[in-house]
Coordinates of all heavy atoms in Angstrom, one line a residue:
M1 N 10.6 40.6 18.1 CA 10.0 41.4 19.1 C 8.5 41.5 18.9 O 8.0 42.6 18.5 CB 10.7 42.8 19.2 CG 12.1 42.7 19.8 SD 12.1 43.3 21.4 CE 12.0 45.1 21.2
T2 N 7.8 40.5 18.9 CA 6.4 40.6 18.8 C 5.7 40.6 20.2 O 5.9 39.7 21.0 CB 5.8 39.4 18.0 OG1 6.3 38.2 18.5 CG2 6.1 39.5 16.5
A3 N 5.1 41.7 20.5 CA 4.5 41.8 21.8 C 3.0 41.5 21.8 O 2.3 41.8 22.8 CB 4.7 43.3 22.3
T4 N 2.6 40.9 20.7 CA 1.1 40.6 20.7 C 0.8 39.4 21.5 O 1.4 38.3 21.2 CB 0.7 40.4 19.2 OG1 1.3 41.4 18.4 CG2 -0.8 40.4 19.1
H5 N -0.1 39.5 22.4 CA -0.4 38.3 23.2 C -1.9 38.0 22.9 O -2.8 38.8 23.1 CB -0.3 38.6 24.7 CG 1.2 38.6 25.1 ND1 1.9 37.5 25.3 CD2 2.0 39.7 25.3 CE1 3.2 37.9 25.6 NE2 3.2 39.2 25.6
R6 N -2.1 36.8 22.4 CA -3.5 36.3 22.2 C -4.0 35.8 23.5 O -3.3 35.2 24.3 CB -3.5 35.3 21.1 CG -3.1 35.8 19.7 CD -3.4 34.8 18.7 NE -2.9 35.3 17.4 CZ -3.0 34.5 16.3 NH1 -3.5 33.3 16.4 NH2 -2.5 34.9 15.2
Q7 N -5.3 36.0 23.6 CA -6.0 35.4 24.8 C -6.3 34.0 24.5 O -7.2 33.6 23.8 CB -7.2 36.2 25.1 CG -6.9 37.6 25.5 CD -6.2 37.7 26.9 OE1 -6.5 36.9 27.8 NE2 -5.3 38.6 27.0
L8 N -5.6 33.1 25.1 CA -5.9 31.7 25.0 C -6.2 31.2 26.4 O -5.5 31.5 27.4 CB -4.7 30.9 24.5 CG -4.4 31.0 23.0 CD1 -3.1 30.1 22.7 CD2 -5.5 30.5 22.2
S9 N -7.2 30.4 26.5 CA -7.5 29.8 27.8 C -6.4 28.7 28.1 O -5.8 28.2 27.2 CB -8.9 29.1 27.8 OG -8.8 27.9 27.1
P10 N -6.1 28.5 29.3 CA -5.1 27.5 29.7 C -5.4 26.1 29.0 O -4.5 25.5 28.6 CB -5.2 27.4 31.2 CG -5.8 28.7 31.6 CD -6.7 29.1 30.5
E11 N -6.7 25.8 28.9 CA -7.1 24.5 28.4 C -6.8 24.5 26.9 O -6.2 23.5 26.3 CB -8.6 24.3 28.6 CG -9.1 23.0 27.9 CD -8.6 21.7 28.5 OE1 -7.8 21.8 29.4 OE2 -8.9 20.7 28.0
T12 N -7.1 25.6 26.2 CA -6.8 25.7 24.8 C -5.3 25.6 24.5 O -4.8 24.9 23.6 CB -7.3 27.0 24.2 OG1 -8.7 27.1 24.5 CG2 -7.2 27.1 22.7
A13 N -4.5 26.3 25.3 CA -3.1 26.3 25.2 C -2.5 24.9 25.4 O -1.6 24.4 24.7 CB -2.5 27.3 26.2
R14 N -3.1 24.2 26.4 CA -2.7 22.9 26.7 C -2.9 21.9 25.5 O -2.1 21.2 25.1 CB -3.4 22.3 27.9 CG -2.9 21.1 28.5 CD -3.7 20.6 29.7 NE -5.0 20.1 29.2 CZ -5.2 18.9 28.7 NH1 -4.2 18.0 28.6 NH2 -6.4 18.5 28.3
L15 N -4.1 22.0 25.0 CA -4.5 21.2 23.8 C -3.6 21.5 22.6 O -3.3 20.6 21.9 CB -6.0 21.4 23.5 CG -7.0 20.7 24.4 CD1 -8.4 21.1 24.1 CD2 -6.8 19.2 24.5
L16 N -3.3 22.8 22.4 CA -2.5 23.2 21.3 C -1.1 22.5 21.4 O -0.6 22.0 20.4 CB -2.4 24.7 21.2 CG -3.5 25.4 20.6 CD1 -3.3 26.9 20.7 CD2 -3.7 25.0 19.1
T17 N -0.5 22.6 22.5 CA 0.8 22.1 22.7 C 0.8 20.6 22.7 O 1.7 19.9 22.3 CB 1.5 22.6 24.0 OG1 0.6 22.4 25.1 CG2 1.8 24.1 23.9
L18 N -0.3 20.0 23.2 CA -0.5 18.6 23.3 C -0.7 17.9 21.9 O -0.1 16.9 21.6 CB -1.6 18.2 24.2 CG -1.7 16.8 24.7 CD1 -0.7 16.5 25.7 CD2 -3.1 16.5 25.3
D19 N -1.5 18.5 21.1 CA -2.0 17.9 19.9 C -1.3 18.3 18.6 O -1.1 17.5 17.8 CB -3.5 18.1 19.8 CG -4.3 17.3 20.8 OD1 -3.7 16.3 21.4 OD2 -5.5 17.6 21.0
T20 N -1.0 19.6 18.5 CA -0.6 20.1 17.2 C 0.9 20.4 17.1 O 1.4 20.5 16.1 CB -1.4 21.3 16.8 OG1 -1.2 22.3 17.8 CG2 -2.9 21.0 16.8
E21 N 1.5 20.6 18.2 CA 2.9 20.9 18.1 C 3.7 19.7 17.9 O 3.7 18.8 18.8 CB 3.3 21.7 19.4 CG 4.6 22.5 19.2 CD 4.8 23.4 20.4 OE1 5.3 22.9 21.4 OE2 4.6 24.6 20.2
P22 N 4.4 19.6 16.8 CA 5.2 18.4 16.6 C 6.5 18.4 17.4 O 7.6 18.2 16.8 CB 5.4 18.4 15.1 CG 5.4 19.9 14.7 CD 4.6 20.6 15.8
W23 N 6.4 18.6 18.6 CA 7.6 18.6 19.4 C 7.5 17.7 20.6 O 6.4 17.7 21.2 CB 8.0 20.0 19.9 CG 9.3 20.1 20.6 CD1 10.5 20.3 20.1 CD2 9.5 19.9 22.0 NE1 11.4 20.2 21.1 CE2 10.8 20.0 22.3 CE3 8.6 19.7 23.1 CZ2 11.4 19.9 23.5 CZ3 9.1 19.5 24.4 CH2 10.5 19.6 24.6
L24 N 8.5 17.0 20.9 CA 8.5 16.1 22.0 C 9.8 16.1 22.7 O 10.8 16.1 22.0 CB 8.2 14.7 21.4 CG 7.4 13.7 22.2 CD1 6.0 14.2 22.5 CD2 7.3 12.4 21.4
S25 N 9.9 15.9 24.0 CA 11.1 15.8 24.6 C 11.5 14.3 24.5 O 10.7 13.4 24.3 CB 11.0 16.2 26.1 OG 10.2 15.3 26.8
C26 N 12.8 14.0 24.7 CA 13.3 12.6 24.6 C 12.6 11.8 25.7 O 12.2 10.7 25.5 CB 14.8 12.6 24.8 SG 15.7 13.1 23.4
E27 N 12.3 12.5 26.8 CA 11.6 11.8 27.9 C 10.2 11.3 27.5 O 9.8 10.2 27.7 CB 11.6 12.7 29.1 CG 11.4 12.0 30.4 CD 11.4 13.1 31.6 OE1 12.2 14.0 31.5 OE2 10.6 12.9 32.5
D28 N 9.5 12.3 26.9 CA 8.2 12.0 26.4 C 8.2 10.9 25.3 O 7.3 10.1 25.2 CB 7.5 13.2 25.9 CG 7.1 14.2 27.0 OD1 7.1 13.7 28.2 OD2 6.9 15.4 26.8
C29 N 9.2 11.0 24.5 CA 9.4 10.1 23.4 C 9.6 8.6 24.0 O 8.9 7.7 23.5 CB 10.6 10.5 22.5 SG 10.8 9.5 21.1
F30 N 10.4 8.5 25.0 CA 10.6 7.2 25.6 C 9.4 6.7 26.2 O 9.1 5.5 26.2 CB 11.8 7.3 26.6 CG 13.1 7.1 26.1 CD1 13.8 8.0 25.3 CD2 13.7 5.8 26.2 CE1 15.0 7.7 24.8 CE2 15.0 5.5 25.7 CZ 15.6 6.5 25.0
A31 N 8.6 7.6 26.9 CA 7.4 7.2 27.6 C 6.4 6.6 26.7 O 5.7 5.7 27.0 CB 6.9 8.4 28.3
G32 N 6.3 7.2 25.4 CA 5.3 6.7 24.5 C 5.8 5.7 23.5 O 5.0 5.3 22.6
M33 N 7.0 5.3 23.6 CA 7.7 4.6 22.6 C 7.0 3.2 22.3 O 6.8 2.8 21.1 CB 9.1 4.4 22.9 CG 10.0 4.0 21.7 SD 11.7 4.0 22.2 CE 12.1 5.8 22.0
D34 N 6.6 2.5 23.4 CA 6.0 1.2 23.1 C 4.7 1.3 22.4 O 4.4 0.4 21.5 CB 5.9 0.4 24.5 CG 5.2 1.2 25.5 OD1 5.1 2.4 25.4 OD2 4.8 0.6 26.6
H35 N 3.9 2.3 22.7 CA 2.7 2.4 21.9 C 2.9 2.8 20.5 O 2.3 2.3 19.6 CB 1.8 3.5 22.6 CG 1.4 3.2 24.0 ND1 0.5 2.2 24.3 CD2 1.7 3.7 25.2 CE1 0.3 2.1 25.6 NE2 1.0 3.0 26.1
F36 N 3.9 3.6 20.3 CA 4.3 4.1 18.9 C 4.7 2.9 18.1 O 4.3 2.6 17.0 CB 5.4 5.1 19.0 CG 5.9 5.5 17.7 CD1 5.1 6.0 16.7 CD2 7.3 5.4 17.4 CE1 5.6 6.4 15.5 CE2 7.8 5.8 16.2 CZ 7.0 6.3 15.2
V37 N 5.6 2.1 18.7 CA 6.1 0.9 18.1 C 5.0 -0.1 17.7 O 5.0 -0.6 16.6 CB 7.2 0.2 18.9 CG1 7.5 -1.2 18.5 CG2 8.5 1.1 18.9
E38 N 4.1 -0.3 18.6 CA 3.0 -1.2 18.4 C 2.1 -0.7 17.2 O 1.7 -1.5 16.3 CB 2.1 -1.4 19.6 CG 2.6 -2.4 20.5 CD 1.8 -2.5 21.8 OE1 0.6 -2.2 21.8 OE2 2.4 -2.8 22.9
A39 N 1.9 0.6 17.2 CA 1.1 1.2 16.2 C 1.7 1.0 14.8 O 1.1 0.7 13.8 CB 0.8 2.6 16.5
I40 N 3.0 1.3 14.8 CA 3.7 1.4 13.5 C 3.9 0.0 13.0 O 4.0 -0.3 11.7 CB 5.0 2.2 13.5 CG1 5.3 2.7 12.2 CG2 6.1 1.4 14.2 CD1 6.4 3.8 12.2
L41 N 4.0 -1.0 13.9 CA 4.2 -2.4 13.5 C 2.9 -3.0 12.9 O 2.9 -3.7 11.9 CB 4.6 -3.3 14.7 CG 6.1 -3.4 14.9 CD1 6.4 -4.2 16.1 CD2 6.8 -4.1 13.7
S42 N 1.8 -2.7 13.5 CA 0.5 -3.2 13.1 C 0.0 -2.5 11.8 O -0.7 -3.0 11.0 CB -0.5 -3.2 14.2 OG -0.7 -1.8 14.6
Q43 N 0.5 -1.2 11.7 CA 0.0 -0.4 10.6 C 1.1 0.5 10.1 O 1.2 1.7 10.5 CB -1.2 0.4 11.0 CG -2.4 0.1 10.2 CD -3.5 1.1 10.5 OE1 -3.7 1.5 11.7 NE2 -4.2 1.6 9.5
P44 N 2.1 0.0 9.3 CA 3.3 0.8 9.0 C 2.9 2.2 8.4 O 3.7 3.1 8.5 CB 4.0 -0.1 8.0 CG 3.6 -1.4 8.3 CD 2.2 -1.3 8.8
G45 N 1.8 2.3 7.7 CA 1.4 3.5 7.0 C 0.6 4.4 7.9 O 0.1 5.5 7.5
T46 N 0.5 4.1 9.2 CA -0.3 4.9 10.1 C 0.2 6.3 10.2 O 1.4 6.6 10.2 CB -0.4 4.2 11.5 OG1 -1.3 5.0 12.3 CG2 1.0 4.2 12.2
A47 N -0.8 7.2 10.4 CA -0.5 8.6 10.6 C -0.5 9.0 12.0 O -0.4 10.1 12.4 CB -1.4 9.5 9.8
A48 N -0.7 7.9 12.9 CA -0.7 8.1 14.3 C 0.6 8.6 14.8 O 1.7 8.4 14.2 CB -1.2 6.9 15.0
F49 N 0.6 9.2 16.0 CA 1.8 9.6 16.6 C 2.7 10.6 15.8 O 3.9 10.3 15.6 CB 2.6 8.4 17.1 CG 1.9 7.5 18.1 CD1 1.3 6.4 17.6 CD2 1.9 7.9 19.4 CE1 0.6 5.5 18.5 CE2 1.2 7.0 20.3 CZ 0.6 5.9 19.8
P50 N 2.1 11.6 15.2 CA 2.9 12.5 14.3 C 4.1 13.1 15.1 O 5.2 13.4 14.6 CB 1.9 13.5 13.8 CG 0.8 13.5 14.8 CD 0.7 12.1 15.3
E51 N 3.8 13.4 16.4 CA 4.9 14.0 17.2 C 6.0 13.1 17.5 O 7.2 13.5 17.5 CB 4.3 14.6 18.5 CG 3.9 13.5 19.6 CD 2.7 12.7 19.2 OE1 2.0 13.1 18.2 OE2 2.4 11.8 19.9
M52 N 5.7 11.8 17.6 CA 6.8 10.8 17.7 C 7.6 10.7 16.4 O 8.9 10.7 16.5 CB 6.2 9.4 18.0 CG 5.5 9.3 19.3 SD 6.6 9.1 20.8 CE 7.3 7.6 20.5
R53 N 6.9 10.7 15.3 CA 7.6 10.6 14.0 C 8.5 11.8 13.9 O 9.7 11.7 13.4 CB 6.6 10.5 12.9 CG 5.7 9.4 13.0 CD 4.7 9.4 11.8 NE 5.5 9.0 10.6 CZ 5.4 7.9 10.0 NH1 4.6 7.0 10.4 NH2 6.0 7.6 8.9
A54 N 8.0 13.0 14.2 CA 8.7 14.2 14.1 C 10.0 14.2 15.0 O 11.1 14.6 14.6 CB 7.9 15.4 14.4
H55 N 9.8 13.7 16.2 CA 10.9 13.6 17.1 C 12.0 12.7 16.6 O 13.2 13.0 16.6 CB 10.4 13.3 18.5 CG 11.5 13.2 19.5 ND1 12.0 14.4 20.2 CD2 12.4 12.2 19.9 CE1 13.0 14.0 20.9 NE2 13.3 12.8 20.8
V56 N 11.5 11.5 16.3 CA 12.5 10.4 15.9 C 13.2 10.8 14.6 O 14.4 10.5 14.4 CB 11.7 9.1 15.6 CG1 12.5 8.1 14.9 CG2 11.3 8.5 17.0
A57 N 12.5 11.6 13.7 CA 13.2 12.0 12.5 C 14.3 13.0 12.8 O 15.3 13.1 12.0 CB 12.2 12.7 11.6
G58 N 14.2 13.6 13.9 CA 15.3 14.6 14.2 C 16.2 14.2 15.4 O 17.0 15.0 15.8
C59 N 15.9 13.1 16.0 CA 16.7 12.7 17.1 C 17.3 11.3 16.9 O 16.6 10.3 17.1 CB 15.8 12.7 18.4 SG 16.7 12.2 19.9
P60 N 18.5 11.2 16.5 CA 19.2 9.9 16.2 C 19.1 8.9 17.4 O 19.0 7.7 17.3 CB 20.6 10.3 15.9 CG 20.6 11.7 15.5 CD 19.5 12.3 16.3
A61 N 19.3 9.5 18.6 CA 19.3 8.6 19.8 C 17.9 7.9 20.0 O 17.9 6.7 20.2 CB 19.6 9.5 21.1
C62 N 16.9 8.6 19.8 CA 15.5 8.0 20.0 C 15.2 7.1 18.8 O 14.6 6.1 18.9 CB 14.5 9.1 20.1 SG 14.5 9.9 21.8
A63 N 15.7 7.5 17.6 CA 15.5 6.7 16.4 C 16.1 5.3 16.6 O 15.5 4.3 16.3 CB 16.1 7.4 15.2
E64 N 17.3 5.3 17.2 CA 18.0 4.1 17.4 C 17.2 3.2 18.4 O 17.0 2.0 18.2 CB 19.4 4.4 17.9 CG 20.4 3.3 17.7 CD 21.7 3.6 18.2 OE1 22.2 4.7 17.9 OE2 22.3 2.8 19.0
E65 N 16.7 3.9 19.4 CA 15.9 3.2 20.5 C 14.7 2.6 19.9 O 14.3 1.5 20.2 CB 15.6 4.2 21.6 CG 15.4 3.6 22.9 CD 16.5 2.8 23.4 OE1 17.7 3.2 23.2 OE2 16.3 1.8 24.0
V66 N 14.0 3.4 19.1 CA 12.7 3.0 18.5 C 13.0 1.8 17.6 O 12.3 0.8 17.6 CB 12.1 4.1 17.6 CG1 11.0 3.6 16.7 CG2 11.4 5.1 18.6
E67 N 14.1 1.8 16.8 CA 14.4 0.8 15.9 C 14.7 -0.5 16.6 O 14.3 -1.6 16.1 CB 15.5 1.2 14.9 CG 15.0 2.2 13.9 CD 16.1 2.5 12.9 OE1 17.1 1.8 12.7 OE2 15.9 3.6 12.2
S68 N 15.4 -0.4 17.7 CA 15.7 -1.7 18.4 C 14.5 -2.3 19.1 O 14.3 -3.5 19.1 CB 16.9 -1.5 19.4 OG 17.1 -0.2 19.7
L69 N 13.7 -1.4 19.6 CA 12.4 -1.9 20.2 C 11.5 -2.5 19.2 O 10.9 -3.5 19.4 CB 11.7 -0.7 20.9 CG 10.5 -1.0 21.7 CD1 10.8 -2.0 22.9 CD2 9.8 0.2 22.3
L70 N 11.5 -1.8 18.0 CA 10.7 -2.3 16.9 C 11.1 -3.7 16.5 O 10.3 -4.6 16.3 CB 10.8 -1.3 15.8 CG 9.7 -1.2 14.8 CD1 9.4 0.3 14.5 CD2 10.0 -1.9 13.5
A71 N 12.4 -3.9 16.3 CA 12.9 -5.2 16.0 C 12.6 -6.3 17.0 O 12.3 -7.4 16.7 CB 14.4 -5.1 15.7
L72 N 12.7 -5.8 18.2 CA 12.5 -6.8 19.4 C 11.0 -7.2 19.4 O 10.7 -8.4 19.5 CB 12.8 -6.0 20.7 CG 12.9 -6.9 21.9 CD1 14.2 -7.6 22.0 CD2 12.7 -6.1 23.2
V73 N 10.1 -6.2 19.3 CA 8.7 -6.5 19.4 C 8.3 -7.4 18.1 O 7.5 -8.3 18.2 CB 7.8 -5.2 19.4 CG1 6.3 -5.5 19.3 CG2 8.1 -4.5 20.8
A74 N 8.8 -7.0 17.0 CA 8.5 -7.7 15.8 C 8.9 -9.2 15.9 O 8.2 -10.1 15.5 CB 9.2 -7.1 14.6
E75 N 10.1 -9.4 16.5 CA 10.6 -10.8 16.6 C 9.7 -11.5 17.6 O 9.3 -12.7 17.4 CB 12.0 -10.7 17.2 CG 12.8 -12.0 16.9 CD 14.2 -12.0 17.5 OE1 14.8 -10.9 17.3 OE2 14.5 -12.9 18.2
Q76 N 9.3 -10.9 18.7 CA 8.5 -11.5 19.7 C 7.1 -11.9 19.1 O 6.6 -13.0 19.4 CB 8.2 -10.6 20.9 CG 9.4 -10.6 21.9 CD 9.2 -9.5 22.9 OE1 8.3 -8.7 22.9 NE2 10.0 -9.5 23.9
D77 N 6.6 -11.0 18.2 CA 5.3 -11.3 17.7 C 5.3 -12.1 16.4 O 4.3 -12.4 15.8 CB 4.6 -9.9 17.4 CG 4.2 -9.2 18.7 OD1 4.5 -9.7 19.8 OD2 3.7 -8.1 18.6
G78 N 6.6 -12.4 16.0 CA 6.7 -13.2 14.7 C 6.3 -12.4 13.5 O 5.8 -13.0 12.6
I79 N 6.5 -11.1 13.5 CA 6.2 -10.4 12.3 C 7.4 -9.7 11.7 O 8.4 -9.6 12.3 CB 5.0 -9.3 12.5 CG1 5.4 -8.4 13.7 CG2 3.7 -10.0 12.8 CD1 4.4 -7.4 14.0
D80 N 7.3 -9.3 10.4 CA 8.4 -8.7 9.7 C 8.5 -7.2 10.1 O 7.5 -6.4 9.9 CB 8.1 -8.8 8.2 CG 9.3 -8.3 7.4 OD1 10.4 -8.0 8.0 OD2 9.2 -8.2 6.2
A81 N 9.6 -6.8 10.5 CA 9.8 -5.4 11.0 C 10.2 -4.5 9.8 O 10.1 -3.3 10.0 CB 11.0 -5.4 12.0
S82 N 10.5 -5.1 8.6 CA 10.9 -4.2 7.5 C 9.9 -3.1 7.1 O 10.4 -2.0 6.9 CB 11.2 -5.1 6.3 OG 12.0 -6.2 6.7
P83 N 8.6 -3.4 6.9 CA 7.7 -2.4 6.5 C 7.7 -1.2 7.5 O 7.6 -0.1 7.2 CB 6.4 -3.1 6.4 CG 6.7 -4.5 6.3 CD 7.9 -4.7 7.1
A84 N 7.7 -1.6 8.8 CA 7.6 -0.6 9.9 C 8.9 0.2 9.9 O 8.9 1.5 10.0 CB 7.4 -1.3 11.2
L85 N 10.0 -0.4 9.7 CA 11.3 0.3 9.7 C 11.4 1.2 8.5 O 11.8 2.4 8.6 CB 12.5 -0.7 9.6 CG 12.9 -1.4 10.9 CD1 13.9 -2.5 10.7 CD2 13.4 -0.3 11.9
A86 N 10.9 0.8 7.4 CA 10.9 1.6 6.2 C 10.0 2.8 6.3 O 10.4 3.9 6.0 CB 10.4 0.8 4.9
A87 N 8.9 2.6 7.0 CA 7.9 3.7 7.2 C 8.5 4.7 8.2 O 8.3 5.9 8.0 CB 6.6 3.1 7.8
L88 N 9.3 4.2 9.1 CA 9.9 5.0 10.1 C 10.9 5.9 9.5 O 11.1 7.1 9.8 CB 10.5 4.1 11.2 CG 10.9 4.8 12.5 CD1 9.8 5.3 13.3 CD2 11.8 3.9 13.3
R89 N 11.7 5.3 8.6 CA 12.8 6.1 8.0 C 12.4 7.0 6.9 O 13.1 8.0 6.6 CB 13.8 5.1 7.4 CG 14.6 4.4 8.6 CD 15.4 3.2 8.0 NE 16.1 2.6 9.2 CZ 16.6 1.3 9.1 NH1 16.3 0.6 8.1 NH2 17.2 0.8 10.2
S90 N 11.2 6.8 6.3 CA 10.8 7.7 5.3 C 9.9 8.8 6.0 O 9.2 8.5 6.9 CB 9.9 7.0 4.3 OG 8.7 6.5 4.9
R91 N 10.1 10.0 5.5 CA 9.3 11.1 6.1 C 7.9 10.9 5.6 O 7.7 10.5 4.4 CB 9.9 12.5 5.6 CG 11.3 12.8 6.0 CD 11.3 13.0 7.5 NE 12.7 13.4 7.9 CZ 12.9 14.7 8.2 NH1 12.0 15.6 8.2 NH2 14.1 15.0 8.6
P92 N 6.9 11.1 6.4 CA 5.5 11.0 6.0 C 5.3 12.0 4.8 O 5.4 13.2 4.9 CB 4.7 11.4 7.2 CG 5.7 11.9 8.2 CD 7.0 11.5 7.8
A93 N 4.9 11.4 3.7 CA 4.7 12.2 2.5 C 3.3 12.9 2.5 O 3.1 13.9 1.9 CB 4.8 11.3 1.2
N94 N 2.4 12.2 3.1 CA 1.0 12.8 3.2 C 0.7 13.3 4.5 O 1.1 12.7 5.5 CB 0.0 11.7 2.7 CG 0.1 10.4 3.5 OD1 1.2 10.2 4.1 ND2 -0.9 9.7 3.7
S95 N 0.0 14.4 4.6 CA -0.3 14.9 5.9 C -1.7 15.2 6.1 O -2.4 15.2 5.1 CB 0.6 16.1 6.2 OG 0.4 17.1 5.2
Ligands
ZN101 ZN1 15.0 12.1 21.5

């Protein structure tokens, strides 16, 4: 029961939820999945898309979807999906 309301401008609130909250709906996850997959394939150690990582770590359905897309794109591009898959399955150790 915390009744304290901070004064946040709508823009600040929008940026806060957009950038720092590691929460994503499955819908948003699906929408950004191809970009996420491309990023993690080209740079498995990337810290980009923290909200995607957070979501996938807690959502088996999306994790499965990301892994199949990852395998597909890797095959199309003729690259090894293993580093990206490993990076995906391991929780980011550095933040
Ligand atoms: Zn999901």
Side-chain angles (χ1 to χ4, degrees):
M1 287 257 283
T2 48
T4 315
H5 289 281
R6 292 191 190 176
Q7 293 293 322
L8 285 180
S9 74
E11 174 67 3
T12 306
R14 192 184 68 82
L15 286 175
L16 279 175
T17 51
L18 192 73
D19 289 342
T20 61
E21 200 168 75
W23 184 88
L24 211 62
S25 68
C26 287
E27 202 177 323
D28 290 341
C29 185
F30 269 78
M33 198 171 278
D34 48 347
H35 296 292
F36 174 57
V37 162
E38 275 174 33
I40 205 169
L41 269 176
S42 60
Q43 241 189 318
T46 183
F49 300 99
E51 72 288 351
M52 294 283 294
R53 301 181 70 106
H55 181 87
V56 166
C59 181
C62 286
E64 205 180 307
E65 204 60 39
V66 165
E67 287 185 16
S68 16
L69 184 63
L70 210 135
L72 192 80
V73 174
E75 201 185 313
Q76 281 174 350
D77 292 358
I79 51 180
D80 186 9
S82 313
L85 279 172
L88 191 69
R89 285 168 182 157
S90 68
R91 300 293 188 106
N94 52 338
S95 55

